[in-house]
Amino acid sequence: MFTKSLLDSWIREYSDEKNYHWAIELKEINEVIGDIDVFNLKDKHSSCEIGYCLSRAFWNKGIMSEALNAVIKYLFDEVGLNRIVAMHNTKNIASGKVMIKNDMKFEGTLRQASKLGDSFYDLNVYSILKSEWKA
């Protein structure tokens, strides 16, 4: 039931033409294995944040690096943004590696910036500017 309500909310969000949220599908099995989302889109600052999630069975295969690369390219070339930010839990080192593979630069750590259950955790912040992007 949770998955259906989540998908319903994503569909409703698409009534906003500035909503960018994609499913990641593995062509070989014709199955959704993750998603990548653009949020905190700020026209005034020509910036946004990106978040992503991938099923554990598909980690360490370069899939998320490829998806992030395609979205960064789209946001710079088609949407015309200047700055893209992404963050990850400091314990999720692999997520940071995805950002680094896409030429994102480490900006710092936000201490106890997020909470899961009763525990706070730190977030590493990365960004890339259009002028740094290698098309």
Side-chain angles (χ1 to χ4, degrees), residues 40-57:
N40 289 339
L41 184 61
K42 297 179 181 159
D43 288 331
K44 180 180 177 181
H45 303 293
S46 191
S47 66
C48 72
E49 290 184 50
I50 292 181
Y52 47 79
C53 185
L54 187 66
S55 175
R56 185 178 301 265

Side-chain angles (χ1 to χ4, degrees), residues 24-73:
I24 299 170
E25 179 183 350
L26 191 61
K27 292 176 186 177
E28 294 81 8
I29 61 173
N30 196 31
E31 186 177 309
V32 173
I33 60 170
D35 74 299
I36 190 162
D37 183 25
V38 175
F39 57 99
N40 289 339
L41 184 61
K42 297 179 181 159
D43 288 331
K44 180 180 177 181
H45 303 293
S46 191
S47 66
C48 72
E49 290 184 50
I50 292 181
Y52 47 79
C53 185
L54 187 66
S55 175
R56 185 178 301 265
F58 300 96
W59 288 5
N60 299 311
K61 299 181 187 303
I63 295 168
M64 189 52 74
S65 293
E66 181 181 344
L68 180 59
N69 185 276
V71 171
I72 289 172
K73 179 177 177 16

